[in-house]
């Protein structure tokens, strides 16, 4: 498999489609290697307002 973000060949890719306050069902699917996935999740956490 290939990461859509960095282009690296990897045995595993991930995609979050629906999460609290996050809905990408109709968006173009992007699959990420574990490194890019972790970076994207960290960036999402930084953007979320604290309760």
């Amino acid at each position: 498999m290939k990461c859509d973000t960095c282009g690296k060949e990897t045995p595993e890719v991930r995609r979050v489609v629906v999460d609290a306050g996050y809905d990408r069902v109709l968006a173009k699917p992007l699959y990420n290697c574990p490194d890019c996935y972790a970076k994207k999740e960290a960036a999402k956490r930084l953007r979320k307002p604290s309760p």
Side-chain angles (χ1 to χ4, degrees):
M1 289 175 260
K2 191 172 185 178
C3 177
D4 289 326
T5 300
C6 71
K8 163 172 84 173
E9 291 286 330
T10 179
E12 174 186 333
V13 292
R14 298 179 183 178
R15 176 180 182 225
V16 173
V17 178
V18 177
D19 197 358
Y22 187 81
D23 182 351
R24 302 294 289 174
V25 172
L26 299 177
K28 178 186 175 204
L30 293 175
Y31 294 90
N32 294 281
C33 66
D35 291 337
C36 289
Y37 180 85
K39 289 175 190 173
K40 284 185 147 190
E41 288 299 302
K44 278 197 291 190
R45 282 193 301 275
L46 290 174
R47 287 192 305 265
K48 283 186 179 179
S50 299

